[in-house]
Amino acid sequence: MPRFSIIVPTHDVAGRLTGCLASVLGQSFADFEVIAVVDSLDEGAGPCPAIAAEHAARDPRVRRTQSPPDAGLPGARNAGMGAATGDYLLFLDGDDTLAPGALAALDARLCACDDPDLLFFDHERVHWFDGGEGPALERLWAGAPRGTFTVAEHAALPDPLVPAFSVAHRRAFVAEHGLVFEPGMFTDTVWGLRAVLRARRIAVLDRVCVRHLLRRQGARLRAPGLHHMDLLDRFGRAMADAVTLDVPAPVLARVFRRFTHELLKAASTPGRLPSARLRRRFFRQAARLYRLHRPAGFRPPAGSVGVQHRLLGAGAYGAFCVLRGLKSRVAGALSVLRDVWGKVGRRLPGRNAYAAFLRRPVDENLAVFSAYWGRGYSCNPAAIHAKARELAPHVRTVFLVSDARAAAGLPEGVEGVVTGSRRYWEVMARAKYTFNNVNFEMAVKKRPGTVHVQTQHGTPLKRMGVDQADFPATAAAAGPLGKLLQRVDRWDFNVSSNRHSTEVWERAYPGAYESLDVGYPRNDAFYRASADDVRALRKRLGVPEGRIAVLYAPTHRDYRTDFAAQLDLPAFCDALGEEFVVLLRAHHLYEGSAGLDEVVRSGKLIDVTAHRSPEEVCLAADALVTDYSSIMFDYANLDRPIVVYADDWDVYRETRGVYFDLLAEPPGVVARTPDELTAAFRSGAWEGPRAGALRAAFRERFCDLDDGLAAERVVRRVLLGEPVERLPPIVPLYDRVPAPAARRAPQHRP
């Protein structure tokens, strides 16, 4: 029997779960089990079940049990308790972490106190961006008895604000009293009260053992909504339970006073109960409960809080509003001023049409697509658009373009809308659905009921979003963080190409969106193209028949403002010899600036930077040479050789920041100098057994979702409203057949 059973609900924490489990498994005290509560025991059901399954396969202390998502946090914890075998139960949210040495400290204190029923310990709230805020429960340690005690012997208890993850619970004690987490909100409040009132021996440990993440979305308990009405029921049941247990009068008074304090906070916070009618109803019901459960001889506290107690007891809602309403009235006046200024602003030239369009109803069957700030019909938005025309023909679609030249490149039958035109403001105001692989401008208003899909345009090796904050040059180029987060708040769905991306996006772009773990729609082409398609693409690009086409695709450097190939391309082309031809695809920021006319005329290099489709260029290439570009993650789907040319890796890593060490986990052979790169091709190492083994491991990690069906999944989930469980299942990696290369390289599988 382990000392601790650590119960970890895993729903919707893909970006943090690995860190959570690592913080537990890395503890110096090893006598524990981890109960990972997953939505499904099928590790293909999503990133969280897969992460839990991987940890369980590596470490026998990790076990899995199942709880459906609709059972929520209470159901997950109850399921974990049902599977637990340890002496003590610990609850750890899947996006939280255990502090180093926490389990050893808990065990030492439990032993010193001869295994009490409950051990309270501290936690630190960690803001998603600003970091740790320090110990949260210092009020519990002041005046606490040195050894064990009952609730009657410590005036700081019971405390309805102590979360379940700040207490170690003796499992036999929990079972003896049949304690369970009740469904609904404020479940920790009821659980904690019932536990502490029944405990015969309580102890405390003045030490931070858990680091609790404060999400950018905020605590669900503080979000506006009807769920705050549940607090009334919790109050009534808490008082009834305390009376049934015949707790001492001082304890009963503390329960009443602290719950009343929570009722008063809810009643006086407009943001929690969003309508005046709802706040009035809440107050009146709270007043009845106050009078019903007020202990005999109870004396309200002094000062303003005491006045609020008396007004609540009298049901004097009007007077209560007068007392607490000054701040609300000031906020209301500011809101009126903002509305007036907004109306003035909308009268400025260029915005009149948009303001008028916003007053018209949303068009339920209109979808807007855009890629790379209107550069043309490309990337994930284009792939989704094409599939939408096939599977959802009732949805009318338009594609945004930057100018008439980009509009001319649209496929036949696709309506192009020039950004900034009157038609642009009309479709942006009225479209039910919008798809973009970057972000729309701040002037675009997200209307209630509309759906925005952020499709992304790469797998992150370099730091993204809020993770760029520690890299000044990159952060400055990205623009104000506040505006970025405002854009993220417009996302309803965020497309992910692999589990690594899902984990990164959750941290880099914190928001309330649904992660679409479906693969990248643009990569569907890699599994749908035939050998004839590949030959036709090579001919169109001018690749001579019989030549080995090497795609060279370097990424952008934040510390440079112009194109530099990082490689002497004429010398590299000469070194490769007549057997090869190099396809150059510079980063789109440098389109038209390569300046390599002479080597292009020699026939040894083809500049494909301006070609609309990176996927077509990849299909035409027999091998890829890149540095840190995300194209490597897409190209790996083709199972063709990849060579990493990393001459400035140390500089790039320090100036931009990266999520993992590419040189330690590359998709193929790594070269640090031009001579090493040339040698890799001359020796055949670029396509040898070691390169194949590295590529296979890379594909396992980063090609887990791309299988040719991504666009269909997005259309079915977003435009057709199908639930996730009904989407086409992910095809296993080694059951997929990517498009064949013109020259078949040796295949290497683990």
Side-chain angles (χ1 to χ4, degrees), residues 181-531:
F181 288 92
E182 294 192 357
M185 304 297 279
F186 307 102
T187 186
D188 276 21
T189 299
V190 176
W191 164 275
L193 181 73
R194 288 183 170 174
V196 77
L197 292 182
R198 287 163 173 77
R200 292 181 290 272
R201 301 176 64 250
I202 303 169
V204 296
L205 172 64
D206 183 4
R207 177 187 172 119
V208 170
C209 294
V210 170
R211 304 189 80 230
H212 175 63
L213 177 70
L214 297 178
R215 291 189 171 196
R216 177 172 173 260
Q217 303 93 301
R220 283 174 289 183
L221 287 180
R222 293 186 175 88
L226 285 171
H227 63 271
H228 289 283
M229 300 297 290
D230 292 349
L231 189 59
L232 299 168
D233 175 69
R234 302 300 193 223
F235 173 59
R237 297 174 69 175
M239 291 304 301
D241 189 49
V243 170
T244 300
L245 292 173
D246 195 22
V247 300
V251 174
L252 186 63
R254 293 201 294 266
V255 173
F256 181 79
R257 183 173 66 253
R258 285 165 184 159
F259 260 99
T260 298
H261 182 69
E262 296 306 306
L263 293 178
L264 291 170
K265 279 200 300 185
S268 60
T269 308
R272 297 189 186 183
L273 296 163
S275 73
R277 183 176 181 180
L278 189 61
R279 290 193 290 276
R280 181 183 296 274
R281 193 175 99 195
F282 180 92
F283 188 89
R284 288 177 175 173
Q285 292 185 27
R288 287 195 293 270
L289 289 170
Y290 184 93
R291 291 190 294 268
L292 176 65
H293 294 292
R294 180 170 49 197
F298 176 79
R299 296 176 62 86
S304 173
V305 176
V307 174
Q308 293 176 54
H309 270 254
R310 292 179 174 88
L311 293 175
L312 181 62
Y317 183 65
F320 179 80
C321 290
V322 170
L323 178 67
R324 297 299 302 263
L326 179 60
K327 182 178 179 181
S328 298
R329 290 198 299 275
V330 171
L334 291 175
S335 177
V336 170
L337 288 174
R338 283 194 296 268
D339 289 344
V340 170
W341 174 249
K343 292 176 181 178
V344 172
R346 285 196 290 271
R347 295 192 187 101
L348 295 175
R351 296 297 302 276
N352 291 341
Y354 187 47
F357 290 135
L358 286 171
R359 290 193 289 270
R360 295 171 60 184
V362 170
D363 188 334
E364 297 291 326
N365 290 314
L366 177 61
V368 175
F369 294 80
S370 180
Y372 298 117
W373 305 278
R375 289 180 64 240
Y377 193 81
S378 65
C379 197
N380 293 318
I384 298 168
H385 177 272
K387 187 59 66 172
R389 298 177 77 187
E390 173 190 337
L391 298 181
H394 63 285
V395 177
R396 301 186 313 282
T397 60
V398 300
F399 217 97
L400 302 183
V401 290
S402 58
D403 50 36
R405 179 182 176 185
L410 294 175
E412 184 178 353
V414 177
E415 179 186 354
V417 173
V418 176
T419 302
S421 66
R422 180 181 176 86
R423 175 64 171 155
Y424 166 80
W425 289 112
E426 179 183 12
V427 297
M428 293 310 300
R430 301 200 60 208
K432 168 76 171 184
Y433 306 99
T434 52
F435 298 79
N436 204 336
N437 70 348
V438 283
N439 273 305
F440 290 109
E441 58 187 301
M442 292 298 296
V444 172
K445 180 180 177 61
K446 177 73 160 57
R447 297 179 68 179
T450 59
V451 177
H452 176 57
V453 181
Q454 167 57 245
T455 72
Q456 300 294 346
H457 57 272
T459 291
L461 167 63
K462 59 189 178 186
R463 295 276 177 164
M464 304 294 290
V466 301
D467 291 341
Q468 300 176 67
D470 293 332
F471 300 88
T474 303
L481 179 60
K483 289 187 176 180
L484 169 66
L485 295 177
Q486 289 179 48
R487 293 184 176 103
V488 171
D489 286 339
R490 300 190 294 203
W491 302 358
D492 296 289
F493 295 95
N494 184 40
V495 178
S496 177
S497 60
N498 47 58
R499 201 178 79 199
H500 163 77
S501 295
T502 301
E503 296 178 15
V504 169
W505 299 147
E506 184 176 311
R507 299 192 302 269
Y509 300 116
Y513 52 80
E514 175 184 326
S515 180
L516 282 178
D517 302 321
V518 297
Y520 271 166
R522 70 185 185 193
N523 292 342
D524 289 354
F526 296 148
Y527 296 97
R528 297 188 175 275
S530 66

Side-chain angles (χ1 to χ4, degrees), residues 24-38:
V24 177
L25 298 176
Q27 292 284 313
S28 58
F29 184 91
D31 187 15
F32 62 83
E33 63 179 0
V34 179
I35 310 295
V37 187
V38 295

Side-chain angles (χ1 to χ4, degrees), residues 519-597:
Y520 271 166
R522 70 185 185 193
N523 292 342
D524 289 354
F526 296 148
Y527 296 97
R528 297 188 175 275
S530 66
D532 288 341
D533 294 328
V534 172
R535 283 192 291 270
L537 287 170
R538 288 167 68 91
K539 184 176 181 180
R540 196 189 321 159
L541 293 173
V543 178
E545 189 172 350
R547 299 274 283 274
I548 300 173
V550 177
L551 173 60
Y552 175 53
T555 193
H556 167 64
R557 265 70 171 172
D558 294 284
Y559 56 89
R560 287 184 176 165
T561 57
D562 57 351
F563 174 73
Q566 296 294 127
L567 180 64
D568 185 339
L569 279 173
F572 179 57
C573 291
D574 288 340
L576 288 181
E578 297 300 322
E579 185 183 3
F580 294 86
V581 63
V582 174
L583 308 179
L584 169 64
R585 189 170 183 85
H587 192 277
H588 66 79
L589 293 176
Y590 309 122
E591 192 171 302
S593 61
L596 296 164
D597 294 342

